[in-house]
Amino acid sequence: MSAGATRCEKEQPEVRDNKLQKQETGFLRWEAAPHRGVQALLSNTRDELQLEMTAILGFGNHHVCMKEAALLDYYVCGFWWAKEANFTPKQTSFTMAVLHMLLDNIREKRLPLVENLMEFAKAVGDASQCRTSEEDTTPLLDEEEAMALISYIRNSLFQKYRLYELLFTTSREELLTGTERTVEVFACRGALTPLEEGIPTNLYSQ
């Protein structure tokens, strides 16, 4: 086993310098990449973004560590979604801060789903309120943007909540054993693959 795999086995992957701060305006921002850093990341291709995010988060073992690979994908997909949604750098920073907060609530605080949903609702609510700054009285997220973010995080995190809980509470050996058992089950099913089992028998006659 490689040194990277051994390190992953003993330690939970942690996001380096991935702090959250609240601006005076009341909403979260992602301190792992300040405003200018987020703006630069928004101009990257998907491959460039993954390389940059790997360095920002300090995930040097993602090639051999299942947890780091899953978390890297979580952050890269979230950032890329914000880019495709045409979010501004401030909105993207908020999105990443929320993603980190929710994950941290699972990893460190062990919050159950309902309590984490309440934390998420509060954060989005704060971002949807008009700010008190004289320079800009508009909310960070309008109704359509807030609903889009809610939909994304519901599908990417909350619908997979149990999987993320297992990611932080299950050892590497247990994860691998579970994978091996799944492979054995499929191998014992016979000639039909899972995809073939789901295909209607009259598909080709339609």
Side-chain angles (χ1 to χ4, degrees):
M1 183 180 292
S2 67
T6 302
R7 174 182 175 275
C8 170
E9 183 178 335
K10 293 181 178 180
E11 300 176 5
Q12 293 281 358
E14 296 181 357
V15 179
R16 185 180 61 195
D17 296 331
N18 193 8
K19 300 176 182 178
L20 302 178
Q21 288 188 0
K22 274 198 173 184
Q23 297 175 322
E24 293 179 359
T25 50
F27 56 81
L28 294 170
R29 63 181 178 182
W30 191 43
E31 285 300 300
H35 177 74
R36 290 184 180 179
V38 170
Q39 195 166 14
L41 288 173
L42 286 169
S43 65
N44 286 343
T45 65
R46 183 66 176 257
D47 290 340
E48 291 170 339
L49 176 62
Q50 179 160 326
L51 287 174
E52 292 286 347
M53 199 70 73
T54 300
I56 290 171
L57 302 175
F59 287 167
N61 296 298
H62 66 280
H63 292 299
V64 294
C65 178
M66 187 182 301
K67 291 178 181 178
E68 284 196 7
L71 294 178
L72 179 61
D73 183 70
Y74 173 82
Y75 284 103
V76 170
C77 287
F79 194 99
W80 194 256
W81 175 86
K83 175 178 178 176
E84 292 192 326
N86 294 317
F87 273 20
T88 66
K90 286 184 179 180
Q91 291 172 326
T92 302
S93 179
F94 171 76
T95 299
M96 298 303 294
V98 168
L99 287 170
H100 175 70
M101 177 193 74
L102 296 175
L103 203 65
D104 195 58
N105 285 344
I106 300 173
R107 175 174 46 196
E108 301 295 335
K109 300 179 180 180
R110 298 289 193 265
L111 287 188
L113 174 60
V114 173
E115 291 185 26
N116 218 358
L117 276 167
M118 293 174 64
E119 292 280 327
F120 175 53
K122 184 180 185 302
V124 174
D126 290 341
S128 302
Q129 298 295 321
C130 290
R131 290 175 277 173
T132 58
S133 171
E134 295 181 0
E135 298 179 358
D136 189 355
T137 58
T138 60
L140 179 67
L141 300 174
D142 62 28
E143 183 177 353
E144 183 178 347
E145 291 164 341
M147 291 303 297
L149 179 59
I150 290 170
S151 178
Y152 173 75
I153 292 184
R154 181 186 65 232
N155 295 331
S156 64
L157 176 65
F158 289 126
Q159 288 188 355
K160 305 170 184 175
Y161 204 79
R162 182 55 181 158
L163 293 178
Y164 281 101
E165 287 180 321
L166 290 173
L167 185 67
F168 296 120
T169 59
T170 307
S171 69
R172 182 174 180 273
E173 288 83 358
E174 290 174 314
L175 287 172
L176 291 175
T177 301
T179 302
E180 291 171 356
R181 288 176 180 172
T182 301
V183 172
E184 290 175 359
V185 168
F186 283 125
C188 293
R189 285 189 173 184
L192 288 179
T193 67
L195 286 177
E196 289 172 334
E197 291 178 355
I199 296 176
T201 55
N202 63 340
L203 175 67
Y204 301 107
S205 61
Q206 293 177 354

